[in-house]
Amino acid sequence: MTLQVFGLPVSRGVAIGRAVLVASSRIDVAHYYIDPVDAPAEISRLRVARKRVSVELEALKQAVPADAQHELVALLDVHLMLLNDEAVAEATCAWIIDRHYNAEWAMAAQLEVLARQFDEMEDDYLRERKADLEQVAERVLRALADKSGERGTSAVGPKVGARDFAGEDPLVLVANDISPADMLQFKGSVFTGFVTDVGGKNSHTAIVARSLDIPAVVGAREASRLIRQDDWVIIDGDAGLVIVDPPPIVLEEYRFRQRQSQVERERLHRLRHKAAVTLDGARVELLANIELPGDAPGALASGAEGIGLFRSEFLFMNREGALPDEEEQYVAYRDAVLAMNGLPVTIRTVDIGADKPLERMSGHELRHEHTLNPAMGLRAIRWSLSEPQMFEAQVRAIYRAAAHGAVRLLIPMLTHANEITASLAVIKRVREQLMRESVAHGAIEVGAMVEVPAAALSLPLFLRHFDFVSIGTNDLIQYTLAIDRADEAVAHLYDPWHPAVLRLIADTIQQANQAGKGVCVCGEMAGDIEFTEVLIGFGLRSFSMHPACIPAVKQRILRSEARRLEAYAHDVLRSEDPRTVVRAAITSSVKAAA
C-alpha cells in the first residue's frame, strides 16, 4: 500500500531506493558493512553471543527460589525458546550473508522484522510476546558488544565502501535520528538518501547532508515505524515528502525528475572555472565549507576559491574518547592546505556542543558530554578555554599547517572581551613556543565568528582585535529567535527572513566593510540562492558554502547587478515582512522577462 510521509526538506534532489532501517535500541548498535570473506566470522560471533545468553538464562533458571512463582521459570523458558529458535537464527544470518551486515546490525534488522509480525498478530497474548523478543535480542546485542569493543559503536556507514555490497538496488537509510558524525559515513557509501523521524532543517545533521549533496528529509515523525525493511522509497528532498511503495507511474515520474536534475547539475558544473562577477563588475569570492581533509578536492572541483570554513570538530567525533593529538591534527590540516594548491584555508577551532556532543572518557567508561541545554552550555570556544592543553595543541597544529600554504584561524562563539583576550593570549603563546623550538610554521590571520547577537552588537570590539569576521547565520538565527534549530517541534519558527536577523547581518557587513576588515557569511544562508541578491545588496563580497551549492549561487551572481541590489536590500531591511519585498521583486523580474 502506498504511503506518504511528510517531513522537513533539508537537502534537495530525489533519491529512490530500498529502505534500510536502523532500528532504535536501548543500547548502542554498530551498523557497518563487512567484507564477504568475513561473513563466517560474523556468524560465529553471533553464535557465541547466543550461546553466552543461553548459559546466562539457564543459570537464572537454576537460581530461581523453590517457592517462587511458577510464571518466573515459564518466562525464562519463553526467552530460551525465542533465543534457540533456529528459524530466527537462520534469518539473522541471512542478513550477514546476503546484505553483508555486521552481526549487530543483522540482529537489529531481524528484530525489526519480527517485531512487526508480532504487532500484526490478533491474539493479545502472542502480541504481547514482542516485549520478550526485544529483551532477548538486547541480551544478545550486549553479548556481541562485549566481544566487539574494537568496533565503532555508532557508525551507520559502510566500513568498506564498495557499492557491490548493496546488491543491484540502490538503498536509502531510514532511522529515528543520525548524528552529524555518523552522517560523514555517507561519503562514498551505498546510501543515496536518508530519512529521520526527528531533526530540524538547520541541525548539523541536515547541514552535513547538504554538504554531501544527498537528498534528505528530517522530522518525518513516524517514518521509521511506517517504513519496513526493503520497502521501495522515494525521497523528495525539495518537498520534504517520502513516498513508500510508490505505484509504477509515480516511480517513473520521479525517475524522470532525477534525470532532469542530473542534466541541470552538469549544465551548472560548466560554470566552475568562470569568475563570479556581477553584470556591473562587482567581484564576489565563493569559498567552500568542508568537514574533513578529503573534502578539499571536491571543493576545488566545484570551483571554490578557497576553504571558508573547515569544521575541525569532525576530527574529534566518534572516537570513543580518544581525542586527536597535535600531530594527527597537523597532518589533517596540512593535507587540506596542500590539496587546495595555494588557495586559502580557514580552519575553525573545535565547535563541540549543542547537536555535536563530544565523547569523553571518565575513568574507564565512555560517556557523552550532555547538558540540560547544550546549545547554551560549554561549547565552542568555551570548551576550548576550559581544555587549555587541547586548545594549545590545536592552535600549534594550525600554525604548523600554515607552513604549507595560506591559513586562517577562526574562533567560534565569542561573546565577551575576556574570551577574546584569553583566546588571543593562547595564540600568541603558541607562536612564541614554536619560534623558541624552531618548529616550522607560517603566519596566520585570526578571525572571529559572529554567531551570537552579543557579538554582532559588540562588533567594534571584535574589529579592533581580529583580522576578519565570519558570520555564522545558523547559530545567529537560533540565538536571536531563541529557537533550537535541531528541534522539529519549533522548526517552523526558525526564520532567516526575520527582520532582526537581517538587520544584525547587514550591520555586521557594513561595519566590517567600513573598517576595511574582511567579512564572510559561512552559514546556510550563503548557499541558499533566495538570499544571494540580498546579501550582495548588503555589501557582502565573500560567501562560504557547501561545494554543491557553489554553481547555482555563481549563476545567480552572474545575472545580478550589485548597484541595483543595494536599493533592493534597503527595501528588504525597511520592511516588517521582508518576504513581501522578495516576492514583489520576483514578480517584477518575471514581467520584465516577459
Side-chain angles (χ1 to χ4, degrees), residues 184-251:
L184 293 180
Q185 301 292 337
F186 276 108
K187 294 179 187 291
S189 79
V190 296
F191 298 114
T192 61
F194 80 93
V195 183
T196 63
D197 297 340
V198 301
K201 190 170 183 178
N202 287 280
S203 65
H204 277 94
T205 299
I207 291 170
V208 175
R210 283 191 287 274
S211 74
L212 300 177
D213 204 17
I214 298 173
V217 173
V218 303
R221 300 298 180 105
E222 299 293 310
S224 66
R225 187 181 67 82
L226 296 172
I227 300 172
R228 301 171 183 247
Q229 292 280 2
D230 279 345
D231 275 350
W232 275 103
V233 172
I234 295 172
I235 299 174
D236 186 338
D238 298 297
L241 172 65
V242 180
I243 304 174
V244 185
D245 192 20
I249 189 170
V250 174
L251 197 59

Side-chain angles (χ1 to χ4, degrees), residues 259-318:
R259 293 192 292 271
Q260 283 185 312
S261 177
Q262 184 58 35
V263 170
E264 176 64 13
R265 288 173 190 235
E266 291 171 358
R267 187 181 66 79
L268 288 175
H269 188 64
R270 291 197 289 270
L271 297 175
R272 66 190 182 280
H273 298 308
K274 191 175 181 63
V277 182
T278 63
L279 293 172
D280 53 349
R283 182 74 168 82
V284 180
E285 179 183 50
L286 297 182
L287 307 170
N289 298 344
I290 66 171
E291 282 79 37
L292 295 170
D295 300 337
L300 271 180
S302 70
E305 301 169 71
I307 300 300
L309 179 63
F310 183 155
R311 296 186 174 101
S312 67
E313 55 270 15
F314 286 93
L315 298 174
F316 288 67
M317 299 171 70
N318 270 16

Side-chain angles (χ1 to χ4, degrees), residues 125-137:
Y125 174 81
L126 292 177
R127 191 165 56 246
E128 290 172 1
R129 298 284 63 78
K130 184 178 81 167
D132 297 315
L133 175 70
E134 290 172 341
Q135 291 167 10
V136 170

Side-chain angles (χ1 to χ4, degrees), residues 301-498:
S302 70
E305 301 169 71
I307 300 300
L309 179 63
F310 183 155
R311 296 186 174 101
S312 67
E313 55 270 15
F314 286 93
L315 298 174
F316 288 67
M317 299 171 70
N318 270 16
R319 300 176 58 93
E320 301 185 358
L323 302 185
D325 59 15
E326 176 188 331
E327 191 64 24
E328 182 179 345
Q329 291 187 67
Y330 159 67
V331 170
Y333 305 146
R334 179 203 64 192
D335 289 349
V337 171
L338 292 175
M340 292 306 294
N341 298 328
L343 296 174
V345 176
T346 302
I347 302 170
R348 182 175 68 185
T349 59
V350 61
D351 185 10
I352 288 297
D355 60 350
K356 296 177 291 183
L358 181 67
E359 296 170 332
R360 300 299 306 278
M361 296 302 295
S362 176
H364 297 292
E365 296 294 325
L366 181 67
R367 63 186 175 86
H368 290 78
E369 298 284 2
H370 287 296
T371 62
L372 292 176
N373 193 340
M376 303 285 188
L378 190 67
R379 61 169 295 195
I381 191 59
R382 299 169 184 173
W383 180 82
S384 294
L385 291 175
S386 73
E387 298 279 352
Q389 287 185 326
M390 176 53 69
F391 189 32
E392 288 192 14
Q394 181 168 37
V395 175
R396 283 177 63 94
I398 293 171
Y399 259 116
R400 291 172 60 194
H404 303 279
V407 171
R408 295 184 289 192
L409 184 151
L410 182 60
I411 304 175
M413 279 286 289
L414 288 167
T415 55
H416 294 280
N418 59 356
E419 291 174 337
I420 294 173
T421 302
S423 301
L424 294 177
V426 171
I427 293 169
K428 180 182 178 182
R429 183 165 64 249
V430 165
R431 188 180 183 193
E432 290 173 349
Q433 289 172 353
L434 292 170
M435 293 177 68
R436 284 197 306 270
E437 298 167 6
S438 297
V439 175
H441 64 283
I444 61 174
E445 291 185 352
V446 180
M449 294 277 301
V450 176
E451 50 191 336
V452 180
L457 295 172
S458 306
L459 199 66
L461 171 68
F462 282 66
L463 295 175
R464 285 200 303 271
H465 287 93
F466 294 100
D467 300 309
F468 66 97
V469 292
S470 188
I471 305 172
T473 54
N474 306 334
D475 274 329
L476 185 61
I477 297 164
Q478 171 175 249
Y479 292 124
T480 301
L481 303 181
I483 299 298
D484 183 351
R485 58 193 171 101
D487 186 350
E488 75 277 6
V490 293
H492 62 288
L493 299 175
Y494 184 94
D495 183 12
W497 287 106
H498 193 287

